[in-house]
Amino acid sequence: MSNIVILTGAGISAESGLGTFRDEGGLWAQHRIEDVATPEGYARNPQLVTDFYNARRAQAATATPNAAHRALVKLETAHVGAVTIVTQNVDGLHEQAGSQSVIHMHGELAGALCARCDHRWPATGDMVPDDICPKCKASAGRPDIVWFGEMPYHMERIEQLLSQADLFVSIGTSGNVYPAAGFVQAARAYGAATLELNLEPSEGASLFDDTRLGPATQIVPNWVSEVLAQ
Ligand code: OAD
Ligand code: ZN
């Protein structure tokens, strides 16, 4: 299995203390998607949306990578072929653990984006709504998060990776949100083997060749040990 592409979701960071979206008591049980994760919601109430991401940024800053993040670093270091992580997560735990090849398709809490000129800059602490863009000086700063109705980042690169994958692995994602939820079908169509590692079967569980269920901190290190022993 030379080229491995790994899609991660909120479930891989759950045991680092970051809540998922759709599990019981998850973020989308506490906040309406339309209010905090759409361009229309931001236009209606930028302060509410900014506060929501400020709170998540502060929470993510206190979290540390867990055994699942660390196992993926070990895989990237020791596997003979390429290992690429495509993450839906906006936390920085893969990088904090030491992963080098990470693609953030839904943006990052650590970034600010100018809605006018697409310039990006670091957001380390709290943001303010419509902050001044350091490049074009427009009052158009926003969290660098892909909201519903917006195009996820790096899609061409991801499609290319899927087309070259020998193995596609999905970790800790419910399979509710497209285009990520469709990656398993794309990878299969390109000829990759497919594996799901999740706490419970996802929406697309039947699309995978193989599924292993359990907490990420157990099943991810176990799977990595197997791959490296092959
Ligand atoms: P979800 O909250 O939809 O799904 C989390 C998945 O992780 C579920 O299938 C859980 O069973 C699983 N899970 C929970 N705890 C776990 C653990 N300890 N070990 C392994 N798996 C566990 O989160 P995502 O699928 O990541 O997008 O959500 C996808 C996107 O929807 C997010 O990127 C976000 C959200 O709306 C945007 O904000 C654009
Ligand atoms: Zn700008």
Side-chain angles (χ1 to χ4, degrees):
M1 290 295 174
S2 47
N3 286 328
I4 304 179
V5 177
I6 301 170
L7 173 69
T8 63
I12 198 167
S13 296
E15 291 163 87
S16 292
L18 300 180
T20 62
F21 295 94
R22 295 176 183 78
D23 291 307
E24 207 182 323
L27 275 171
W28 296 155
Q30 302 165 51
H31 306 269
R32 283 159 37 107
I33 289 181
E34 312 84 278
D35 290 341
V36 299
T38 62
E40 295 79 15
Y42 187 71
R44 267 197 308 272
N45 193 340
Q47 189 67 59
L48 176 87
V49 177
T50 303
D51 288 345
F52 173 75
Y53 291 103
N54 283 345
R56 296 196 52 213
R57 187 178 303 105
Q59 188 195 22
T62 66
T64 52
N66 64 48
H69 298 104
R70 289 195 296 271
L72 296 185
V73 180
K74 189 171 157 196
L75 181 68
E76 185 180 28
T77 312
H79 181 62
V80 284
V83 175
T84 310
I85 297 172
V86 177
T87 189
Q88 299 168 87
N89 297 343
V90 293
D91 65 52
L93 295 182
H94 285 303
E95 290 88 342
Q96 212 179 307
S99 286
Q100 302 287 322
S101 191
V102 183
I103 296 175
H104 280 273
M105 64 178 293
H106 288 170
E108 293 178 70
L109 287 168
L113 167 72
C114 175
R116 181 74 58 82
C117 78
D118 281 347
H119 178 65
R120 289 184 167 84
W121 65 97
T124 42
D126 281 356
M127 290 182 66
V128 294
D130 302 319
D131 202 3
I132 310 279
C133 166
K135 190 167 177 210
C136 76
K137 312 295 178 205
S139 197
R142 53 164 276 184
D144 190 10
I145 301 284
V146 176
W147 288 323
F148 285 89
E150 297 181 325
M151 180 58 81
Y153 299 151
H154 313 297
M155 287 307 297
E156 274 181 32
R157 172 86 184 112
I158 295 169
E159 187 73 25
Q160 186 190 31
L161 285 164
L162 294 173
S163 75
Q164 294 164 352
D166 297 301
L167 175 63
F168 171 79
V169 187
S170 170
I171 304 176
T173 177
S174 64
N176 272 286
V177 177
Y178 284 83
F183 290 172
V184 57
Q185 278 152 305
R188 272 177 85 111
Y190 284 120
T194 56
L195 168 67
E196 167 160 274
L197 305 175
N198 207 39
L199 193 57
E200 55 196 28
S202 71
E203 292 292 317
S206 63
L207 300 168
F208 290 85
D209 298 325
D210 193 8
T211 298
R212 302 197 195 168
L213 303 179
T217 54
Q218 289 173 25
I219 60 177
V220 177
N222 288 347
W223 167 69
V224 167
S225 300
E226 274 174 43
V227 173
L228 294 180
Q230 276 165 15

